[in-house]
Amino acid sequence: MEVGFLGLGIMGKAMAVNLLRNGFKVTVWNRTLSKCEELVEHGASVGETPAAVVKKCKYTIAMLSDPPAAISVVFGKDSVLEQLCEGKGYIDMSTVDADTSSKISKVAQATAVSTAITEVGGRFLEAPVSGSKKPAEDGQLIILAAGDKALYEEMLPAFSVLGKKDFFLGEVGNGAKMKLIVNMIMGSTMNAFSEGLALAGRTGLSPETLIEMLVKEEEGLGAVGNPMIMMKGPTMLKSNYSPAFPLKHQQKDMRLALALGEENGLAMPVAAAANEAFIRAKSLGLGDQDFSAVYEAVKAEGLKQ
Amino acid sequence: MEVGFLGLGIMGKAMAVNLLRNGFKVTVWNRTLSKCEELVEHGASVGETPAAVVKKCKYTIAMLSDPPAAISVVFGKDSVLEQLCEGKGYIDMSTVDADTSSKISKVAQATAVSTAITEVGGRFLEAPVSGSKKPAEDGQLIILAAGDKALYEEMLPAFSVLGKKDFFLGEVGNGAKMKLIVNMIMGSTMNAFSEGLALAGRTGLSPETLIEMLVKEEEGLGAVGNPMIMMKGPTMLKSNYSPAFPLKHQQKDMRLALALGEENGLAMPVAAAANEAFIRAKSLGLGDQDFSAVYEAVKAEGLKQ
Amino acid sequence: MEVGFLGLGIMGKAMAVNLLRNGFKVTVWNRTLSKCEELVEHGASVGETPAAVVKKCKYTIAMLSDPPAAISVVFGKDSVLEQLCEGKGYIDMSTVDADTSSKISKVAQATAVSTAITEVGGRFLEAPVSGSKKPAEDGQLIILAAGDKALYEEMLPAFSVLGKKDFFLGEVGNGAKMKLIVNMIMGSTMNAFSEGLALAGRTGLSPETLIEMLVKEEEGLGAVGNPMIMMKGPTMLKSNYSPAFPLKHQQKDMRLALALGEENGLAMPVAAAANEAFIRAKSLGLGDQDFSAVYEAVKAEGLKQ
Amino acid sequence: MEVGFLGLGIMGKAMAVNLLRNGFKVTVWNRTLSKCEELVEHGASVGETPAAVVKKCKYTIAMLSDPPAAISVVFGKDSVLEQLCEGKGYIDMSTVDADTSSKISKVAQATAVSTAITEVGGRFLEAPVSGSKKPAEDGQLIILAAGDKALYEEMLPAFSVLGKKDFFLGEVGNGAKMKLIVNMIMGSTMNAFSEGLALAGRTGLSPETLIEMLVKEEEGLGAVGNPMIMMKGPTMLKSNYSPAFPLKHQQKDMRLALALGEENGLAMPVAAAANEAFIRAKSLGLGDQDFSAVYEAVKAEGLKQ
């Protein structure tokens, strides 16, 4: 199977290498073209522009750093749209919001205002992933695909190489929404855990023991243990908040999830309380720390005389 | 090792059988003495009264149904105190609150008002367990011991038969408190999960897929997956709330945990919001259902026209 | 009209003087009898014991400092019960909880266990007041009466002297409950105001102007202005929290009101959030300050670098 | 003093009439020009377009229905900008958001991108009002001015006719922000009151009496009484929610105020809980009712069997 691949950052490079190792023919492009060289060593071809890649390949995967990059690769000069014709598929695996995804999608699906775009006839799939560098290298990502189902099915050979699990979630935007919901659960759960940890500390019980009880067992008291507690609990007790997922991003996702609830008529008072805790943590200067730093705001030990 | 065993309800019987199977000599007593017969078949001796059991055994374990039963076995006629003399150990594994535990403890440790009790000189260990019938039969309980540390150490051979894990948590009352904290985390986490599940439903995403994402993976998006979601998620989607842990008890534990926070100067706004959700669920007539029924109050589908 | 009056603290003295000035014949008693002298100058008679006062008077009003005092005056030696016979009325205007009130009531109404008390046949009215020293002196109290309605009606001449407004609220305990509800509204409203005040400050708007907008007007934007904001707003801006109503008492009332909601199946998430804010304020060492000091916890300026 | 007046809706007409009655020379314009006739009877001149009004008058007041109208009158054909030259003042008294206000302002102050606008040199004042038709007719509005201070001072003669009180709040946008904060306090206070009212009902106390206690008194228990409770309390008890301020707008303002808090690093957990209550009320179909209808969501009597 032959695929184009746009974007060779940490994630993109790992994914492209993975595809090459598993027998895919890959034509890569990166804004800084020199980054393509390492991929050439693994057997990749190089496209000079996004348009060149799309011209060559039936399927083009994008893994870009942020919404502006995702947008500019599609709409700019020498960009995807210049060559995306009838039948070609564009798969954006970047982490973008539902709006960005829809904007790209409507264009790619030729439903948008511009007549130029209507003629394109391309197919679109959003497919944000969960997982960082290591899972990307190991093909252990989780893929949240949404959009053109036939295209999703055609991409399964690639997804099975890139991820350990993939989901097809329906219409474009659903991938972003699902990720938001999972992050909201994560943020509230982190608060639930932080309050418990702080309460243990305040009542003279050992927070270390609490963590051990939560994560060492998978029955009874261990019912609410999860990998997040196992990973972050011990570092939280050391006030080590080296950021895996920055608190300010977690807070933003809480806000966006609450807005999604508002739009859909769902009150979520626990998430709302958790969101305010993250806001308090941000005001304590913890926005760039890991989201588990909300524990500092919860216990607020600095407040005690 | 020889132990007395008071209380042969579902849990107590399973635990006593377990001890007998592992070579312990066990003298049992139960309020309804006929229940002792099955234990006799497994090799147990029978004591006619709690006092008789304590007279015979250096260590007596109690596994009673509730605080009044736990109290009456210690303080009533023919009760534990009549024979609990210097050096003897009393291990209460019933699930009782910290106050009940302290009340029994002070007596057993001979620090209370009555001179009669001061002369007793007994040793006390609270050791509530986590786990239900099946873990009790399989020796897979989690034991939260607190009180007399030497007694705890002497009991380790029995604990290793009864449980897969035990903790010594310090002074009497700490076992009950720790259980409260874990239950508070559980209640808040259940709300976090329910809000996410309801939001998925409201936005047209599949709640089943959300559950699958949370519990099938142990990395990335699966970071907040836990056994509780794995067990209860699918039944919640079927509105099946056959009670494993009744919602009204969960709500009571939330309130007690919040009170513990108040006593210790810790604000816990997320637990407070979760508590109110459980109260709302109770007002919907769900108090006797499983605590996961809070999902009904969260989604409140009955409210939509 | 002739009344007995037990308790000559700040409030009781002002109330008794008021009654004397308005032509009532008053027989007073106080634990420290010397405090009666000033009242004698105003024309009062003195009773040596609560029993002596009750013996002499058909109606006895009590205004005692706290629940233990209220209890001991009724049940102790030389106490109210020794002389409270058929037809006599006992009016407790002390601020006590619903339980204390009920305990005194059941005795006074001769419905309690003791046969001695059954024979008493007394009548009981709880009548806690709202207002402090100044309104007491000026006869401007608000009286929340509950219990024996006929007795309430017989007491109206006295209530019209003592207060500017009185309410009959039904069965004993309702006075205390109503006061709790009003205090809960006050606590949540204080938080609403504090959040607004803090938000004005953070966004560079003048908190003084906000207060002026809220309290100077009685229409439009002034719709939520109230006497509490008018009185406390300006002192809050000066961080002056000289206690009129201590924050720890406000927080306790929030907790009791939430418990009342729980008992009656009513979720109150806003009060729950406000309660946690008061708890946070207590943990900042503000428990003995005025309840308006929750503003410090809300704005948490100390937290900013 | 001579002023232009754009927009003769319910509010604008009442305000323009007020100015005429007080000796101002007023040139009016309205999208539907026939509406100007009634004003002519009161002595007004008519301008054919916004541009014509601005050409004629040194000061032009606008009172338009919503942000799009406010924008189009400034930027469209024959609009304000065509004639707004150096020294002329434009006072927008419409209720618009801070962004709309800033957009108009930057243009009017000639700081925006377009060179055409830079040449304009106009002066701008935002001056949203609080109060509805009746206060507008009676000159009892509250005016929240922000922007060009000199212009504000020049407009005082007009403001003193239109309103009973005016505030100058600093830079453009502050008027809108202040209104948001006041509305947030109002929304939280409405929830505090609704919870109290519902709790009274659930515990068998009279909600009518609670209202009477809150609003009839201005001391003691009446400390939290306010005009909003006085006006809306009795109608809430009759489930009469004829909209003065629609619940969906109140909820939107809560969300915007929370966002303002988030931007400025201020956690507001009570407002967040209140916001969720309004969202729940919206999901019950109450969005178009008065914001006091949140009481229905709080008491949720429909939920009881």
Side-chain angles (χ1 to χ4, degrees), chain C residues 96-135:
Chain C
V96 298
D97 55 287
D99 275 357
T100 297
S101 210
S102 294
K103 194 171 172 185
I104 294 171
S105 162
K106 280 180 188 157
V107 166
Q109 294 178 339
T111 59
V113 280
S114 161
T115 46
I117 290 157
T118 312
E119 293 159 6
V120 161
R123 296 184 294 154
F124 180 76
L125 195 67
E126 79 175 329
V129 302
S130 172
S132 49
K133 189 187 175 189
K134 186 85 172 45

Side-chain angles (χ1 to χ4, degrees), chain C residues 130 144 164-165 167 174 188 192 195 202-203 205 209 212-213 217 221 223 225-228 264-265 268-271, chain D residues 130 142 144 164-165 167 174 192 195 202-203 205 212-213 217 221 223 225-228 264-265 268-271:
Chain C
S130 172
L144 306 180
K164 62 178 170 182
K165 185 86 189 169
F167 296 90
N174 282 357
S188 294
E195 288 184 355
R202 285 286 174 98
T203 53
L205 297 168
T209 302
E212 200 181 352
M213 289 176 56
E217 311 303 335
L221 286 186
N226 59 40
M228 177 185 81
N264 290 279
M268 300 188 293
V270 168
Chain D
S130 172
I142 299 171
L144 307 180
K164 62 179 171 182
K165 185 86 189 168
F167 297 90
N174 282 357
E195 289 184 355
R202 285 286 174 97
T203 53
L205 296 168
E212 201 182 353
M213 288 176 57
E217 311 302 338
L221 286 187
N226 60 39
M228 177 184 81
N264 290 280
M268 301 189 292
V270 167

Side-chain angles (χ1 to χ4, degrees), chain C residues 264-282:
Chain C
N264 290 279
L266 185 69
M268 300 188 293
V270 168
N275 183 39
E276 297 304 314
F278 284 119
I279 291 173
R280 180 174 297 114
K282 277 206 316 186

Side-chain angles (χ1 to χ4, degrees), chain A residues 184 257-258 260-269, chain B residues 194-200 202 298-300, chain D residues 276 279-280 283:
Chain A
M184 178 188 81
L258 286 164
L260 197 60
E262 184 186 327
E263 274 169 46
N264 290 279
L266 184 68
M268 301 188 292
Chain B
S194 293
E195 288 184 355
L197 208 55
L199 185 54
R202 285 284 175 98
V298 169
K299 67 178 176 173
Chain D
E276 297 303 315
I279 291 173
R280 181 173 296 114
S283 84

